[in-house]
Amino acid sequence: MFSGAVRLFFVSAMNGLHYTLFLRLPRWLHGRAPPPALRSGVGSEDGINSAGLSTVTDKYVLDTLAVIRTLVDNDQEPPPSMLKLHTIADKEAGWLVVVRSMVQVIPLHDPLGPAVITLLLDDCPLPSKETVVHLCKFFELSEESAQESWKDPQLHRNICVVLGCIAEKLAGPASIALLTDTTLEYLVAHLNVDNHPCVILFALIALEKFAQTSENKTSIGQYMGQGLCNPLRTLEQWMSDNDYVRRQVGFCAQWCLDNLFICEGRPYSYENVDTTHLNAMLNNNDVSEYLKISPDGLQARCDASSFESVRCTFQVDSGVWYYEATIITAGVMQIGWATKDSKFLNHEGYGIGDDEFSVAYDGCRQLFWHNAQSESHLHPSWQPGDVLGSLLDLTNAEVIFYLNGDPLPPLTQVFNNATCGFFAAASFMSFQQCEFNFGKKPFMHPPKDIAFQSFNDHAYLKESEKIILPRHIKLQKLRAMSVEEGACTLCFDERATISLMPCLHRGFCERCALQLEICPMCRRDIEERREVDEKSDGKSEIT
């Protein structure tokens, strides 16, 4: 669980911030003395001077980062450090102290650092357009400082995270105002192979967030250039690098070239993928909206502030099955098994392991998840390069997880509600990524003394089903499709046979209807779903 365990506390801690932010401050990010606004009115109520406020804020930020891994229960009280940050951030200048602190003290190598910045900023008020204009001055951005990011990669990584978070929250004129020439030069200057790969990664993600506004997208594309001079063309070659941070850069560079910053003359990545003997992959049609899937269908990454989920293409109903996931990032992911009845509630933060039809392994917080309840396990926290193995034994009704070949005791709870129809599945917190192996290549740590089957040996995919199209091409094809009369208004694939109760709105197939919690037409809660008999107009209740 992500929302109940983490987001709820950030929402409660930051709730009530109602001011408009004004960043009309001199530059003081690099340890300079705080401006007059911070020397008065902030902390004085508690008898803390500005220097002391900065010191204690640093401590609260680090304490919050440390306690994130323990936030797993909705009934837990918010940690004291978060309540203190709420008090400080309740004033304009105090909010700036919190932002400065996050930029300066969140460590470069903590796997949850960027996600904590995102969570803290996500529930703050949107800055005004005037505020946005002064932001790059506040951060002392310049192309020259970007070229020296190796001297302080932690600082520049965190600045890029903050810029990306704010760009994601903004839209239209405010986002355009933030992407000044200075900001654009600063971010693009980081896309140099000689810079620290972690800074390159988050500068690239920030540019992606800015490109959500079409005018910014055009400006960024023109500035980076066409052909081989585009820095992303070099960075995408890191896709298979042995360094896992560089591999993330390669993934994001390739995704941006396919989906955002199109280079004339460059083939799309899916056109060069060898799909020979590829019989099982992540299902690009059974995925929450912001998850990125690689062109070969075997890697997934989330750079959104939501909790994104995906199932694979192959369903198993009997026997013993095994797959592996190589950990690219060491943050919060919930990887395991789910049936088609499991729901992806990405904005609410519920994913695999958060309902009665799924079970998941969380190697960051060292937990199992089932039905939104957690149970600790004895594996160490996973690290980039670790291999998570997952075995589903439908004969003996148990699930076994392995980390680098080391098994944990079997889990059985999920079989109280589901006995067949399982898919390999996973959910991802912000900035997390892993690579799946469903048997196309040899497993790294196959279970010993247990006979199992792999998806790739038994599944089948049409050639058209192996193609992961860039989003804009997929959208064009959907627009060009002639939708069959009576098709589901959500997926356009199945017949619309379901009526939602009590509002009686129709137009959905059974699979899509089961994914809905509220009616998309009237927003009323769905109490039940009824199948409509087209011949007799009779209705019968379905599960």
Side-chain angles (χ1 to χ4, degrees), residues 343-348 489-490 498-509 511-529:
K343 299 178 177 64
F344 300 161
L345 303 177
N346 54 336
H347 293 294
E348 288 76 12
T489 56
L490 296 180
I498 301 299
S499 176
L500 306 179
M501 303 298 291
C503 65
L504 297 178
H505 282 125
R506 298 168 56 175
F508 315 101
C509 68
R511 184 180 65 179
C512 291
L514 288 171
Q515 296 290 325
L516 299 173
E517 296 292 329
I518 60 175
C519 174
M521 297 180 182
C522 66
R523 316 304 293 176
R524 292 184 65 178
D525 289 338
I526 299 172
E527 296 180 6
E528 60 180 297
R529 301 157 185 81

Side-chain angles (χ1 to χ4, degrees), residues 217-226:
K217 177 181 173 181
T218 301
S219 300
I220 296 169
Q222 291 175 346
Y223 191 86
M224 286 197 296
Q226 285 287 325

Side-chain angles (χ1 to χ4, degrees), residues 195-459:
N195 284 337
H196 194 288
C198 196
V199 181
I200 298 174
L201 173 65
F202 285 94
L204 179 53
I205 293 172
L207 288 168
E208 176 194 326
K209 306 294 187 186
F210 277 109
Q212 294 174 354
T213 300
S214 58
E215 186 172 331
N216 285 343
K217 177 181 173 181
T218 301
S219 300
I220 296 169
Q222 291 175 346
Y223 191 86
M224 286 197 296
Q226 285 287 325
L228 295 176
C229 67
N230 187 317
L232 302 187
R233 296 293 299 273
T234 301
L235 296 176
E236 72 169 326
Q237 298 174 23
W238 291 2
M239 183 80 173
S240 302
D241 199 277
N242 291 329
D243 180 276
Y244 288 98
V245 179
R246 286 165 62 98
R247 188 178 297 190
Q248 294 177 66
V249 173
F251 181 101
C252 292
Q254 183 184 77
W255 191 90
C256 284
L257 286 169
D258 284 336
N259 291 274
L260 293 174
F261 312 124
I262 312 302
C263 280
E264 186 176 348
R266 172 190 175 272
Y268 288 108
S269 300
Y270 78 89
E271 297 176 317
N272 294 325
V273 172
D274 181 9
T275 59
T276 307
H277 308 303
L278 178 63
N279 301 321
M281 57 195 293
L282 300 174
N283 192 338
N284 196 41
N285 297 313
D286 189 13
V287 60
S288 53
E289 57 190 319
Y290 299 120
L291 193 70
K292 301 172 182 175
I293 298 178
S294 61
D296 66 358
L298 297 176
Q299 292 193 56
R301 178 180 178 87
C302 173
D303 286 314
S305 58
S306 45
F307 199 43
E308 301 297 307
S309 302
V310 65
R311 280 179 281 248
C312 75
T313 55
F314 186 60
Q315 174 180 319
V316 295
D317 298 302
S318 62
V320 183
W321 303 86
Y322 177 79
Y323 75 92
E324 290 181 342
T326 298
I327 305 306
I328 307 298
T329 56
V332 174
M333 297 178 282
Q334 293 174 198
I335 304 174
W337 301 89
T339 71
K340 67 178 182 179
D341 295 322
S342 297
K343 299 178 177 64
F344 300 161
L345 303 177
N346 54 336
H347 293 294
E348 288 76 12
Y350 287 82
I352 309 306
D354 294 331
D355 59 31
E356 64 269 36
F357 305 108
S358 60
V359 61
Y361 177 103
D362 177 347
C364 177
R365 294 176 289 181
Q366 298 167 275
L367 299 170
F368 296 126
W369 287 97
H370 169 66
N371 203 17
Q373 300 297 315
S374 63
E375 175 187 347
S376 61
H377 61 67
L378 297 179
H379 276 165
S381 295
W382 55 23
Q383 301 297 322
D386 284 346
V387 176
L388 176 69
S390 186
L391 183 122
L392 174 72
D393 186 343
L394 290 167
T395 303
N396 296 308
E398 60 184 24
V399 171
I400 302 175
F401 289 105
Y402 304 76
L403 188 65
N404 300 323
D406 179 24
L408 289 172
L411 303 175
T412 61
Q413 304 95 315
V414 70
F415 299 100
N416 295 331
N417 303 289
T419 57
C420 63
F422 283 92
F423 298 83
S427 299
F428 301 78
M429 191 177 175
S430 305
F431 314 123
Q432 303 307 312
Q433 178 179 338
C434 73
E435 180 177 3
F436 294 87
N437 179 12
F438 298 126
K440 184 175 184 290
K441 59 183 180 181
F443 291 117
M444 297 288 290
H445 301 283
K448 300 176 181 178
D449 304 321
I450 299 178
F452 64 87
Q453 304 171 89
S454 73
F455 298 168
N456 210 70
D457 290 340
H458 295 268

Side-chain angles (χ1 to χ4, degrees), residues 45-213:
E45 298 173 2
D46 300 322
I48 303 174
N49 60 30
S50 59
L53 178 64
S54 179
T55 300
V56 297
T57 303
D58 292 350
K59 179 180 183 300
Y60 295 150
V61 169
L62 291 175
D63 287 348
T64 300
L65 178 62
V67 81
I68 284 298
R69 291 174 177 81
T70 69
L71 302 182
V72 297
D73 188 347
N74 284 354
D75 296 327
Q76 285 179 256
E77 290 296 322
S81 59
M82 290 190 60
L83 297 177
K84 292 290 186 180
L85 287 175
H86 173 220
T87 301
I88 296 170
D90 199 36
K91 298 179 181 179
E92 297 173 21
W95 186 89
L96 293 171
V97 172
V98 174
V99 172
R100 179 207 62 82
S101 179
M102 289 192 297
V103 165
Q104 287 193 328
V105 306
I106 288 184
L108 181 68
H109 298 294
D110 192 301
L112 293 181
V116 167
I117 294 176
T118 298
L119 288 164
L120 280 171
L121 289 176
D122 194 42
D123 294 294
C124 291
L126 287 173
S128 67
K129 184 176 179 180
E130 292 77 15
T131 300
V132 167
V133 170
H134 296 278
L135 191 60
C136 63
K137 294 182 180 179
F138 174 71
F139 281 143
E140 201 174 38
L141 306 182
S142 70
E143 185 175 354
E144 291 74 20
S145 66
Q147 292 171 349
E148 297 179 351
S149 63
W150 272 103
K151 295 181 179 179
D152 196 346
Q154 171 183 310
L155 176 75
H156 291 283
R157 190 281 306 270
N158 291 341
I159 289 175
C160 290
V161 175
V162 169
L163 290 173
C165 291
I166 296 176
E168 187 173 26
K169 289 166 66 76
L170 300 175
S175 179
I176 296 170
L178 177 59
L179 192 66
T180 62
D181 291 342
T182 301
T183 306
L184 179 55
E185 291 169 1
Y186 172 81
L187 292 173
V188 175
H190 283 308
L191 307 183
N192 185 311
V193 293
D194 294 326
N195 284 337
H196 194 288
C198 196
V199 181
I200 298 174
L201 173 65
F202 285 94
L204 179 53
I205 293 172
L207 288 168
E208 176 194 326
K209 306 294 187 186
F210 277 109
Q212 294 174 354
T213 300

